[in-house]
Amino acid sequence: MKPFAKLQETFRQVRQRHLDPASLQFRLTLEISLLSILGLSSVAAWTSWKMQQILITTHTQRVEYIANRFPRDVELYSEMLPAAKGLQKTIDNVSVPGLAIWFKSTDGTMTLAKSSEVTAELMSSGEMPLKPQVYQVGDRYMILYRGDVKTKNQPLGKVYMAQDITAEQHQLITAIQGLTAVCILATLATILAIAMRIRRSLQPLQEMSRMAGAISVADLNNAQLQLNNAPTEVKELAQTFNMMLSRLGDAWEQQRQFIGNISHELRTPLTVLSGYLQSLLRRSNNLNDYQREALETAGSEADRTIKLLQDLLDLARADSGYTRYHLEPLLLNELVSEVVDMTAKLGDRSIQVDVKENVEAVVDRDRLKQVLINLLDNAIKYSQAEKTINLIVEQIDKQAIIRVRDQGIGIPLQDLSRIFERFYRVDEDRARTTGGHGLGLAISKTLVEGMGGKIMVRSTVGEGSEFSIVLPK
């Protein structure tokens, strides 16, 4: 079931990437495809119209030629034959395949026609165009024409012509249908080719996005995007991006060195100052209450600042890669018991340990102890004194998990994703009263990830929080 679910997720990601209306690939493909469809359809429509006009022009020219000759032939035959015979002779002499021709006198006393399948249907109709035009009569296509016939400037009547072009029109319709099918196939092929070409053209940008997403803070100085086969514009973008990474790397290195140096330089005099303050408090018996309170406050703030500088120094060392981890197989049951005993000696909080079996993991003993102390310290600070803190050790599959669960105030949902950020505190006022700097969880996260594990949190406001440390066995 897992491979099938993974395959479904892959298909979903591919579909989401290629069918995202906001993506450049989708927009370019859609716009160019629409332009291609418009262009091909315009060519197909113009070609169909032009073919229709050629067919009409060819036959109308023939009908017009016959119509123009008809009055002259009637006048010529009328000089040698009676009018009726001259008209019939003229009609019989017209030998054009598919052409029906008939004549109606002005007074309606004479109607002559050349035998045709359509003559009987059309002879009753007097509505004919003065110029040849194509009409559909039943299931046939015909060019119809009506003209006047005169002899010696005397009107004899009207001549009617109907040229059957059904076969040619069917051939034209078949050709147009074939042209339409070819245009549709060409359009689909063009759209597919355009989509593949655009996708290939945008691959350097996707590769650049993947590489940029994989760059971490530690890689800023050494990271370089190499796009050898990319277009010139993308190469220029990659070069600009590399320059930006170099500047960011230099700035980060300067910041790290500054924090490390100032933390190291300030810690020593503050430690000396704190020592003098504590010594002064122990040895001075003639201090009034105000003086003693002032010295105690100064000593407390000095210790708080020393702790802050030590945390900053630890983070600076971790960022620079100077933190060394002595990883070894360790029985977590013993380490958890040791941390709980240490915490119990410093306070009277109830900490309940839940260990059902011996759980072993590959960790750095001192670093993991520091993480557990930070988490227990947070649980004690942000929960009431009568509430029990649970510390659970368990093994799931090939991972060892340590959970620190309290019944405190909880963490709002909007803050859960940021509590591992440096100097981030959910409640500034409460953090100052508890002495926090917003670095404990950031240090814990750095140390756990340095040991190859991960740390997660779940919390409900008013019910408490649970921090889970997942470690490799």
PDB file of all heavy atoms in Angstrom, residues 425-447:
ATOM      1  N   ARG A 425       9.951  34.463  21.582  1.00  0.00           N
ATOM      2  CA  ARG A 425       9.271  34.145  22.832  1.00  0.00           C
ATOM      3  C   ARG A 425       7.781  34.395  22.642  1.00  0.00           C
ATOM      4  O   ARG A 425       7.374  35.447  22.111  1.00  0.00           O
ATOM      5  CB  ARG A 425       9.825  34.993  23.974  1.00  0.00           C
ATOM      6  CG  ARG A 425      11.257  34.626  24.327  1.00  0.00           C
ATOM      7  CD  ARG A 425      11.802  35.452  25.456  1.00  0.00           C
ATOM      8  NE  ARG A 425      12.066  36.826  25.063  1.00  0.00           N
ATOM      9  CZ  ARG A 425      12.791  37.689  25.777  1.00  0.00           C
ATOM     10  NH1 ARG A 425      13.317  37.294  26.923  1.00  0.00           N
ATOM     11  NH2 ARG A 425      12.974  38.913  25.370  1.00  0.00           N
ATOM     12  N   VAL A 426       6.973  33.437  23.092  1.00  0.00           N
ATOM     13  CA  VAL A 426       5.526  33.533  22.912  1.00  0.00           C
ATOM     14  C   VAL A 426       4.978  34.711  23.699  1.00  0.00           C
ATOM     15  O   VAL A 426       4.189  35.515  23.203  1.00  0.00           O
ATOM     16  CB  VAL A 426       4.840  32.215  23.332  1.00  0.00           C
ATOM     17  CG1 VAL A 426       3.331  32.352  23.230  1.00  0.00           C
ATOM     18  CG2 VAL A 426       5.343  31.069  22.459  1.00  0.00           C
ATOM     19  N   ASP A 427       5.393  34.845  24.931  1.00  0.00           N
ATOM     20  CA  ASP A 427       4.897  35.911  25.805  1.00  0.00           C
ATOM     21  C   ASP A 427       6.112  36.655  26.358  1.00  0.00           C
ATOM     22  O   ASP A 427       6.845  36.136  27.204  1.00  0.00           O
ATOM     23  CB  ASP A 427       4.058  35.310  26.938  1.00  0.00           C
ATOM     24  CG  ASP A 427       3.347  36.381  27.762  1.00  0.00           C
ATOM     25  OD1 ASP A 427       3.759  37.551  27.688  1.00  0.00           O
ATOM     26  OD2 ASP A 427       2.380  36.033  28.473  1.00  0.00           O
ATOM     27  N   GLU A 428       6.358  37.871  25.876  1.00  0.00           N
ATOM     28  CA  GLU A 428       7.539  38.622  26.293  1.00  0.00           C
ATOM     29  C   GLU A 428       7.537  38.911  27.785  1.00  0.00           C
ATOM     30  O   GLU A 428       8.555  38.765  28.460  1.00  0.00           O
ATOM     31  CB  GLU A 428       7.593  39.938  25.500  1.00  0.00           C
ATOM     32  CG  GLU A 428       7.844  39.770  24.008  1.00  0.00           C
ATOM     33  CD  GLU A 428       9.277  39.396  23.730  1.00  0.00           C
ATOM     34  OE1 GLU A 428      10.124  39.608  24.612  1.00  0.00           O
ATOM     35  OE2 GLU A 428       9.564  38.884  22.633  1.00  0.00           O
ATOM     36  N   ASP A 429       6.377  39.316  28.300  1.00  0.00           N
ATOM     37  CA  ASP A 429       6.323  39.665  29.730  1.00  0.00           C
ATOM     38  C   ASP A 429       6.591  38.451  30.599  1.00  0.00           C
ATOM     39  O   ASP A 429       7.373  38.502  31.553  1.00  0.00           O
ATOM     40  CB  ASP A 429       4.950  40.265  30.057  1.00  0.00           C
ATOM     41  CG  ASP A 429       4.724  41.586  29.335  1.00  0.00           C
ATOM     42  OD1 ASP A 429       5.732  42.250  29.007  1.00  0.00           O
ATOM     43  OD2 ASP A 429       3.555  41.934  29.087  1.00  0.00           O
ATOM     44  N   ARG A 430       5.963  37.309  30.271  1.00  0.00           N
ATOM     45  CA  ARG A 430       6.152  36.109  31.081  1.00  0.00           C
ATOM     46  C   ARG A 430       7.575  35.582  30.950  1.00  0.00           C
ATOM     47  O   ARG A 430       8.153  35.079  31.909  1.00  0.00           O
ATOM     48  CB  ARG A 430       5.142  35.032  30.652  1.00  0.00           C
ATOM     49  CG  ARG A 430       5.181  33.792  31.524  1.00  0.00           C
ATOM     50  CD  ARG A 430       4.152  32.763  31.089  1.00  0.00           C
ATOM     51  NE  ARG A 430       4.217  31.591  31.934  1.00  0.00           N
ATOM     52  CZ  ARG A 430       3.530  31.417  33.046  1.00  0.00           C
ATOM     53  NH1 ARG A 430       2.706  32.373  33.457  1.00  0.00           N
ATOM     54  NH2 ARG A 430       3.641  30.316  33.760  1.00  0.00           N
ATOM     55  N   ALA A 431       8.147  35.722  29.739  1.00  0.00           N
ATOM     56  CA  ALA A 431       9.510  35.236  29.529  1.00  0.00           C
ATOM     57  C   ALA A 431      10.504  36.001  30.384  1.00  0.00           C
ATOM     58  O   ALA A 431      11.476  35.445  30.881  1.00  0.00           O
ATOM     59  CB  ALA A 431       9.873  35.357  28.041  1.00  0.00           C
ATOM     60  N   ARG A 432      10.259  37.308  30.559  1.00  0.00           N
ATOM     61  CA  ARG A 432      11.186  38.095  31.387  1.00  0.00           C
ATOM     62  C   ARG A 432      11.096  37.691  32.862  1.00  0.00           C
ATOM     63  O   ARG A 432      12.096  37.645  33.560  1.00  0.00           O
ATOM     64  CB  ARG A 432      10.884  39.582  31.229  1.00  0.00           C
ATOM     65  CG  ARG A 432      11.337  40.119  29.881  1.00  0.00           C
ATOM     66  CD  ARG A 432      11.392  41.641  29.893  1.00  0.00           C
ATOM     67  NE  ARG A 432      11.978  42.150  28.671  1.00  0.00           N
ATOM     68  CZ  ARG A 432      13.274  42.249  28.454  1.00  0.00           C
ATOM     69  NH1 ARG A 432      14.114  41.876  29.400  1.00  0.00           N
ATOM     70  NH2 ARG A 432      13.741  42.720  27.326  1.00  0.00           N
ATOM     71  N   THR A 433       9.879  37.379  33.299  1.00  0.00           N
ATOM     72  CA  THR A 433       9.733  36.989  34.703  1.00  0.00           C
ATOM     73  C   THR A 433      10.346  35.623  34.964  1.00  0.00           C
ATOM     74  O   THR A 433      10.835  35.351  36.067  1.00  0.00           O
ATOM     75  CB  THR A 433       8.252  36.966  35.090  1.00  0.00           C
ATOM     76  OG1 THR A 433       7.562  36.050  34.241  1.00  0.00           O
ATOM     77  CG2 THR A 433       7.639  38.354  34.938  1.00  0.00           C
ATOM     78  N   THR A 434      10.340  34.738  33.959  1.00  0.00           N
ATOM     79  CA  THR A 434      10.913  33.405  34.138  1.00  0.00           C
ATOM     80  C   THR A 434      12.392  33.369  33.776  1.00  0.00           C
ATOM     81  O   THR A 434      13.044  32.338  33.966  1.00  0.00           O
ATOM     82  CB  THR A 434      10.164  32.392  33.254  1.00  0.00           C
ATOM     83  OG1 THR A 434      10.196  32.822  31.896  1.00  0.00           O
ATOM     84  CG2 THR A 434       8.723  32.259  33.710  1.00  0.00           C
ATOM     85  N   GLY A 435      12.910  34.462  33.214  1.00  0.00           N
ATOM     86  CA  GLY A 435      14.344  34.513  32.931  1.00  0.00           C
ATOM     87  C   GLY A 435      14.742  33.931  31.600  1.00  0.00           C
ATOM     88  O   GLY A 435      15.921  33.685  31.365  1.00  0.00           O
ATOM     89  N   GLY A 436      13.788  33.720  30.712  1.00  0.00           N
ATOM     90  CA  GLY A 436      14.133  33.124  29.423  1.00  0.00           C
ATOM     91  C   GLY A 436      14.643  34.151  28.429  1.00  0.00           C
ATOM     92  O   GLY A 436      14.311  35.328  28.480  1.00  0.00           O
ATOM     93  N   HIS A 437      15.494  33.647  27.472  1.00  0.00           N
ATOM     94  CA  HIS A 437      16.021  34.517  26.417  1.00  0.00           C
ATOM     95  C   HIS A 437      15.508  34.133  25.041  1.00  0.00           C
ATOM     96  O   HIS A 437      15.821  34.801  24.057  1.00  0.00           O
ATOM     97  CB  HIS A 437      17.556  34.443  26.387  1.00  0.00           C
ATOM     98  CG  HIS A 437      18.205  34.750  27.702  1.00  0.00           C
ATOM     99  ND1 HIS A 437      18.654  33.760  28.545  1.00  0.00           N
ATOM    100  CD2 HIS A 437      18.459  35.934  28.318  1.00  0.00           C
ATOM    101  CE1 HIS A 437      19.179  34.314  29.622  1.00  0.00           C
ATOM    102  NE2 HIS A 437      19.070  35.635  29.518  1.00  0.00           N
ATOM    103  N   GLY A 438      14.767  33.041  24.945  1.00  0.00           N
ATOM    104  CA  GLY A 438      14.314  32.581  23.634  1.00  0.00           C
ATOM    105  C   GLY A 438      15.365  31.808  22.874  1.00  0.00           C
ATOM    106  O   GLY A 438      15.293  31.683  21.646  1.00  0.00           O
ATOM    107  N   LEU A 439      16.385  31.278  23.589  1.00  0.00           N
ATOM    108  CA  LEU A 439      17.457  30.533  22.929  1.00  0.00           C
ATOM    109  C   LEU A 439      17.480  29.061  23.308  1.00  0.00           C
ATOM    110  O   LEU A 439      18.126  28.264  22.624  1.00  0.00           O
ATOM    111  CB  LEU A 439      18.819  31.155  23.269  1.00  0.00           C
ATOM    112  CG  LEU A 439      19.099  32.529  22.665  1.00  0.00           C
ATOM    113  CD1 LEU A 439      20.433  33.060  23.182  1.00  0.00           C
ATOM    114  CD2 LEU A 439      19.114  32.461  21.153  1.00  0.00           C
ATOM    115  N   GLY A 440      16.804  28.700  24.392  1.00  0.00           N
ATOM    116  CA  GLY A 440      16.880  27.316  24.871  1.00  0.00           C
ATOM    117  C   GLY A 440      16.382  26.314  23.849  1.00  0.00           C
ATOM    118  O   GLY A 440      17.051  25.307  23.559  1.00  0.00           O
ATOM    119  N   LEU A 441      15.227  26.556  23.254  1.00  0.00           N
ATOM    120  CA  LEU A 441      14.682  25.621  22.273  1.00  0.00           C
ATOM    121  C   LEU A 441      15.491  25.640  20.979  1.00  0.00           C
ATOM    122  O   LEU A 441      15.627  24.615  20.324  1.00  0.00           O
ATOM    123  CB  LEU A 441      13.218  25.962  21.984  1.00  0.00           C
ATOM    124  CG  LEU A 441      12.243  25.712  23.141  1.00  0.00           C
ATOM    125  CD1 LEU A 441      10.832  26.117  22.755  1.00  0.00           C
ATOM    126  CD2 LEU A 441      12.271  24.229  23.539  1.00  0.00           C
ATOM    127  N   ALA A 442      16.008  26.816  20.606  1.00  0.00           N
ATOM    128  CA  ALA A 442      16.850  26.883  19.406  1.00  0.00           C
ATOM    129  C   ALA A 442      18.111  26.047  19.585  1.00  0.00           C
ATOM    130  O   ALA A 442      18.541  25.312  18.678  1.00  0.00           O
ATOM    131  CB  ALA A 442      17.199  28.337  19.099  1.00  0.00           C
ATOM    132  N   ILE A 443      18.730  26.130  20.784  1.00  0.00           N
ATOM    133  CA  ILE A 443      19.923  25.321  21.065  1.00  0.00           C
ATOM    134  C   ILE A 443      19.560  23.837  21.080  1.00  0.00           C
ATOM    135  O   ILE A 443      20.287  22.993  20.540  1.00  0.00           O
ATOM    136  CB  ILE A 443      20.550  25.756  22.403  1.00  0.00           C
ATOM    137  CG1 ILE A 443      21.100  27.173  22.280  1.00  0.00           C
ATOM    138  CG2 ILE A 443      21.645  24.787  22.824  1.00  0.00           C
ATOM    139  CD1 ILE A 443      21.620  27.746  23.584  1.00  0.00           C
ATOM    140  N   SER A 444      18.423  23.503  21.689  1.00  0.00           N
ATOM    141  CA  SER A 444      18.000  22.097  21.751  1.00  0.00           C
ATOM    142  C   SER A 444      17.804  21.539  20.343  1.00  0.00           C
ATOM    143  O   SER A 444      18.236  20.424  20.047  1.00  0.00           O
ATOM    144  CB  SER A 444      16.705  21.979  22.556  1.00  0.00           C
ATOM    145  OG  SER A 444      16.883  22.423  23.889  1.00  0.00           O
ATOM    146  N   LYS A 445      17.170  22.288  19.495  1.00  0.00           N
ATOM    147  CA  LYS A 445      16.946  21.836  18.114  1.00  0.00           C
ATOM    148  C   LYS A 445      18.277  21.623  17.398  1.00  0.00           C
ATOM    149  O   LYS A 445      18.481  20.629  16.695  1.00  0.00           O
ATOM    150  CB  LYS A 445      16.096  22.866  17.367  1.00  0.00           C
ATOM    151  CG  LYS A 445      15.744  22.478  15.930  1.00  0.00           C
ATOM    152  CD  LYS A 445      14.803  23.517  15.335  1.00  0.00           C
ATOM    153  CE  LYS A 445      14.360  23.110  13.928  1.00  0.00           C
ATOM    154  NZ  LYS A 445      15.461  23.111  12.966  1.00  0.00           N
ATOM    155  N   THR A 446      19.201  22.563  17.572  1.00  0.00           N
ATOM    156  CA  THR A 446      20.515  22.447  16.923  1.00  0.00           C
ATOM    157  C   THR A 446      21.259  21.210  17.405  1.00  0.00           C
ATOM    158  O   THR A 446      21.859  20.477  16.604  1.00  0.00           O
ATOM    159  CB  THR A 446      21.345  23.712  17.206  1.00  0.00           C
ATOM    160  OG1 THR A 446      20.651  24.862  16.709  1.00  0.00           O
ATOM    161  CG2 THR A 446      22.702  23.619  16.527  1.00  0.00           C
ATOM    162  N   LEU A 447      21.217  20.950  18.697  1.00  0.00           N
ATOM    163  CA  LEU A 447      21.938  19.802  19.249  1.00  0.00           C
ATOM    164  C   LEU A 447      21.302  18.479  18.807  1.00  0.00           C
ATOM    165  O   LEU A 447      22.008  17.530  18.451  1.00  0.00           O
ATOM    166  CB  LEU A 447      21.970  19.892  20.773  1.00  0.00           C
ATOM    167  CG  LEU A 447      22.762  21.072  21.362  1.00  0.00           C
ATOM    168  CD1 LEU A 447      22.666  21.071  22.889  1.00  0.00           C
ATOM    169  CD2 LEU A 447      24.216  21.022  20.914  1.00  0.00           C
TER     170      LEU A 447
END
